[in-house]
């Protein structure tokens, strides 16, 4: 049949028209790639760079504004006399917390001409409280890194404005202290610090109208400007080197690529319409041949291929000819086989009495859980649960009632497991096991107590139990990190030892395995069931 299709008219028409479609699409793609798209991309990059330049100018204006304020203070006779020590009221008249908050200052530092600290004032970064001192110690110790960097700047005679990165990035302006008429000689230095924090960034966003962001990154002198395109967003950033460090303050903006993507979408529509038109022509030419001969045969062939299900199987089964008879018989056989496979899979992985996962499924999940915990270095807890004195229960109430007890206990455990997204399996007669990926010891104990409480709430009578008048359970918990090896059997052994201790301590309780038990193994001979 494949050979007949290869020489059919349908195939020949499809090959010719499909070839024309491919040639047209290639031509459009070449024009778009080499002419149209580069022009759109260049225009977009220019627009983004223009917005980044606007944000950069705003930062520079902020620096110039702070420098102007620093010079206004430093070129003042009162400041000059303050450094000389002849204006004692200077600090009381000119400094306050309100002034720092109104001017968005975070630190002001006065130095002598030799670079020694004369006076410091600022807002403590963690509490926001106003502090003044004459040395960067005690309450002003947080100022010490800033003072050290400023002294380095004075020694190197750097630019009057710079960006510093100490506890946080900041704009720093420096000016020599002169008389009001800017005559000398200078007798000191004044530094003003304005933090580039969230409040500063909000003011910049309001001023520029741009979605700005601020990050501290390693300085790359070869590429201070970076443009990153991602989906419908473009991010542009400009690095500003920080004084005294290899880091930089990166000012970024994130913009929508609306105009560029709109143009791109237009050309994609053109491409789609061209392809659609060609496909429409192909479809009209082949429609008659398809409906009369090829479609019924292809549907029947697809119906018999499990890897290629036919979407028209319902139509085939309604036919009253030989094809319909074959299709109905095949679907009946396929449905029966699928049901049998599903039932076999469920029976092989679940307990027939309680409908919980069985030991086989639990062991598979345990191997996967241990492998995942080892690979990703996350905790893993396992539990072994046992119905207390279940042999006495069977002896007193009979095995049929014992099976009903197991079903009810299993249902209560499964309800808690579903609520906490935990796997619980029946791994023995009255024994159950639980797998808790990612659980800490505290979380595992809390879940174990929830299981005990759930069984207690059933209030199933157990007149012969020395523990309680009702059916109870005991729980042993083991952690992968506490097992002797990183094998599934080792971690289950820790839970088994913990369950034995729970029984030895009186049952109806939770015991978490502790590593010292590994060096002093407890004999499990004559363990109560």
């Amino acid at each position: 049949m494949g050979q007949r299709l290869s020489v059919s008219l349908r195939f020949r028409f499809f090959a010719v028209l499909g070839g024309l479609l491919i040639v047209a699409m290639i031509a459009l793609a070449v024009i778009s790639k080499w002419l149209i798209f580069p022009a759109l991309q260049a225009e977009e990059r220019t627009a983004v760079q223009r917005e980044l330049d606007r944000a950069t100018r705003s930062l520079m204006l902020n620096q110039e504004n702070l420098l102007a304020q620093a010079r206004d203070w430093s070129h003042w006779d009162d400041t000059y006399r303050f450094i000389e020590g002849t204006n004692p009221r200077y600090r009381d008249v000119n400094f306050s917390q309100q002034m720092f908050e109104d001017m968005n200052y975070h630190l002001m530092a006065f130095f002598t001409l030799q670079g020694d600290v004369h006076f410091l004032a600022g807002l403590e970064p963690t509490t926001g409280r106003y502090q003044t001192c004459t040395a960067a110690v005690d309450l002003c110790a947080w100022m010490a890194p800033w003072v050290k960097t400023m002294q380095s700047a004075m020694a190197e005679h750097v630019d009057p404005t710079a960006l510093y990165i100490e506890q946080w990035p900041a704009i720093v302006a420096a000016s020599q202290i002169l008389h009001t008429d800017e005559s000398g000689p200078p007798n000191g230095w004044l530094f003003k610090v304005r933090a580039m924090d969230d409040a500063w960034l909000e003011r910049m966003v309001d001023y520029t109208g741009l979605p700005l962001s601020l990050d501290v990154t390693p300085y790359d002198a070869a590429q201070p400007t970076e443009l990153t395109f991602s989906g419908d967003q473009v991010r542009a950033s400009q690095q500003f080197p920080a004084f005294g460090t290899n880091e930089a303050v990166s000012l970024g903006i994130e913009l929508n690529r609306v105009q560029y993507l709109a143009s791109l979408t237009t050309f994609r529509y053109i491409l789609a319409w061209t392809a659609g038109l060609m496909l429409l022509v192909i479809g009209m030419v082949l429609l008659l041949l398809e409906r009369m001969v090829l479609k019924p045969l292809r549907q029947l062939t697809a119906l018999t291929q499990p890897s290629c299900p036919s979407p028209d199987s319902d139509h085939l089964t309604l036919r009253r000819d030989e094809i319909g008879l074959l299709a109905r018989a095949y679907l009946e056989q396929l449905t029966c086989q699928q049901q049998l496979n599903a039932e076999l899979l469920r029976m092989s992985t679940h307990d027939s009495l309680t409908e919980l996962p069985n030991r086989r499924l639990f062991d598979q999940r345990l191997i996967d859980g241990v492998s995942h915990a080892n690979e990703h270095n996350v905790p893993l807890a396992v539990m072994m649960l046992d119905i207390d004195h279940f042999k006495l229960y069977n002896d007193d109430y009979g095995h049929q009632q014992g099976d009903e007890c197991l079903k009810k206990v299993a249902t209560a455990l499964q309800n808690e497991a579903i609520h906490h997204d935990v796997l619980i399996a029946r791994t023995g007669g009255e024994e159950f096991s639980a797998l808790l990926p990612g659980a800490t010891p505290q979380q595992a104990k809390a879940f174990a107590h929830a299981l005990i409480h759930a069984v207690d709430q059933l209030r199933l009578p157990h007149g012969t139990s020395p523990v309680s008048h009702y059916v109870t359970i005991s729980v042993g918990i083991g952690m992968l990190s506490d097992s002797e090896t990183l094998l599934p059997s080792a971690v289950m052994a820790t839970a088994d030892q913990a369950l034995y201790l729970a029984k030895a301590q009186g049952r109806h309780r939770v015991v978490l395995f502790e590593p010292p038990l590994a060096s002093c193994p407890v004999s499990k001979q004559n363990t109560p069931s």
Side-chain angles (χ1 to χ4, degrees):
M1 182 176 180
Q3 185 177 2
R4 290 198 300 271
L5 285 176
S6 65
V7 296
S8 66
L9 291 177
R10 175 178 177 271
F11 177 81
R12 293 176 183 177
F13 276 111
F14 183 82
V16 173
L17 297 179
L20 293 176
L21 176 63
I22 292 174
V23 170
M25 295 299 295
I26 291 176
L28 183 59
V30 169
I31 295 174
S32 300
K33 180 177 180 180
W34 296 104
L35 296 177
I36 300 174
F37 289 161
L40 293 175
Q41 291 173 353
E43 182 180 354
E44 181 187 26
R45 287 178 177 273
T46 301
V48 173
Q49 186 63 51
R50 185 165 53 247
E51 295 299 317
L52 181 60
D53 291 342
R54 187 155 66 94
T56 300
R57 286 195 299 272
S58 298
L59 175 58
M60 292 180 177
L61 287 175
N62 205 294
Q63 289 180 287
E64 293 174 2
N65 174 264
L66 184 62
L67 177 59
Q69 295 173 13
R71 286 175 175 171
D72 183 57
W73 277 64
S74 61
H75 299 170
W76 189 15
D77 290 339
D78 286 353
T79 304
Y80 199 91
R81 290 194 299 271
F82 173 63
I83 296 297
E84 290 178 339
T86 59
N87 191 357
R89 296 184 64 252
Y90 181 84
R91 68 178 64 180
D92 299 328
V93 173
N94 295 290
F95 294 92
S96 68
Q97 179 158 351
Q98 186 65 40
M99 184 275 289
F100 270 78
E101 293 175 351
D102 292 343
M103 300 300 294
N104 299 316
Y105 296 156
H106 290 76
L107 175 62
M108 288 182 62
F110 293 82
F111 295 90
T112 65
L113 198 59
Q114 292 74 29
D116 298 326
V117 174
H118 182 75
F119 178 69
L120 302 171
L123 300 179
E124 205 278 331
T126 57
T127 64
R129 289 185 298 183
Y130 172 66
Q131 296 170 342
T132 63
C133 50
T134 57
V137 296
D138 298 332
L139 294 178
C140 295
W142 63 272
M143 304 179 186
W146 297 93
V147 169
K148 183 178 179 181
T149 305
M150 292 172 184
Q151 290 172 334
S152 298
M154 287 185 288
E156 298 178 16
H157 298 285
V158 297
D159 293 337
T161 59
L163 300 185
Y164 288 14
I165 299 177
E166 297 299 341
Q167 295 97 329
W168 16 259
I171 302 173
V172 179
S175 178
Q176 285 188 326
I177 297 175
L178 303 171
H179 288 292
T180 302
D181 59 1
E182 299 187 12
S183 63
N187 70 342
W189 288 85
L190 168 61
F191 284 79
K192 287 192 176 186
V193 178
R194 177 171 291 158
M196 302 170 75
D197 53 12
D198 293 340
W200 179 87
L201 189 60
E202 288 179 5
R203 291 192 297 271
M204 288 284 288
V205 170
D206 292 339
Y207 178 74
T208 61
L210 296 173
L212 302 177
S213 63
L214 202 67
D215 300 292
V216 176
T217 59
Y219 180 58
D220 184 1
Q223 191 177 6
T225 302
E226 182 179 4
L227 298 181
T228 303
F229 297 86
S230 177
D232 59 352
Q233 299 287 326
V234 55
R235 175 176 172 77
S237 61
Q238 174 73 43
Q239 285 190 332
F240 297 88
F243 174 74
T245 178
N246 292 327
E247 294 180 317
V249 176
S250 179
L251 181 65
I253 58 172
E254 190 166 320
L255 303 173
N256 289 324
R257 306 173 65 194
V258 177
Q259 184 176 359
Y260 172 75
L261 293 179
S263 301
L264 186 62
T265 301
T266 301
F267 287 102
R268 286 176 176 171
Y269 280 146
I270 294 174
L271 184 65
W273 275 105
T274 303
L277 182 60
M278 295 296 293
L279 289 175
L280 180 62
V281 173
I282 294 174
M284 293 180 63
V285 172
L286 299 176
L287 180 60
L288 183 61
L289 179 63
E290 178 74 11
R291 291 180 60 86
M292 293 181 60
V293 180
L294 298 179
K295 184 177 179 180
L297 294 178
R298 190 169 61 255
Q299 290 174 347
L300 182 60
T301 303
L303 182 64
T304 61
Q305 302 297 321
S307 60
C308 184
S310 172
D312 298 316
S313 58
D314 293 339
H315 174 71
L316 288 177
T317 56
L318 295 177
R319 296 175 65 101
R320 296 184 176 274
D321 54 13
E322 291 79 359
I323 293 179
L325 179 63
L326 290 174
R328 288 190 293 272
Y330 175 77
L331 287 178
E332 290 176 1
Q333 182 181 7
L334 179 63
T335 301
C336 180
Q337 181 181 358
Q338 290 174 342
Q339 291 175 349
L340 289 175
N341 290 341
E343 181 64 19
L344 287 174
L345 179 62
R346 191 193 67 80
M347 292 177 61
S348 66
T349 58
H350 287 74
D351 176 56
S352 59
L353 177 63
T354 64
E355 297 186 357
L356 288 178
N358 59 15
R359 177 179 289 277
R360 177 183 180 184
L361 179 57
F362 180 82
D363 289 343
Q364 293 174 353
R365 296 288 180 84
L366 177 62
I367 293 173
D368 295 339
V370 170
S371 176
H372 180 271
N374 292 334
E375 182 178 352
H376 296 86
N377 194 25
V378 295
L380 174 71
V382 296
M383 292 182 183
M384 293 189 68
L385 306 85
D386 198 83
I387 300 178
D388 296 329
H389 298 290
F390 189 71
K391 183 177 184 302
L392 297 179
Y393 187 95
N394 274 336
D395 292 343
D396 189 35
Y397 295 93
H399 288 281
Q400 183 175 358
Q401 189 65 25
D403 289 346
E404 291 298 321
C405 174
L406 284 172
K407 291 180 182 178
K408 293 178 180 179
V409 170
T411 300
L413 297 178
Q414 181 67 358
N415 290 337
E416 287 295 324
I418 293 174
H419 180 68
H420 292 84
D421 194 20
V422 172
L423 173 69
I424 287 187
R426 183 187 180 195
T427 52
E430 69 275 15
E431 183 181 278
F432 303 86
S433 299
L435 180 65
L436 292 81
T440 63
Q442 293 75 16
Q443 292 171 335
K445 291 179 70 176
F447 178 65
H449 284 294
L451 294 178
I452 289 179
H453 178 71
V455 175
D456 290 346
Q457 290 296 107
L458 295 176
R459 301 186 69 82
L460 300 175
H462 191 346
T464 57
S465 172
V467 177
S468 171
H469 295 300
Y470 302 98
V471 171
T472 60
I473 62 173
S474 301
V475 183
I477 304 173
M479 301 298 298
L480 179 62
S481 58
D482 294 334
S483 60
E484 293 183 355
T485 65
L486 298 179
L487 296 175
S489 58
V491 67
M492 290 304 298
T494 62
D496 190 27
Q497 294 183 45
L499 177 62
Y500 175 77
L501 289 179
K503 292 180 179 181
Q505 294 175 9
R507 306 178 190 256
H508 194 204
R509 66 190 63 235
V510 176
V511 171
L512 174 66
F513 175 81
E514 297 181 0
L517 296 177
S519 60
C520 299
V522 180
S523 174
K524 298 188 63 177
Q525 297 178 356
N526 302 322
T527 302
S529 64

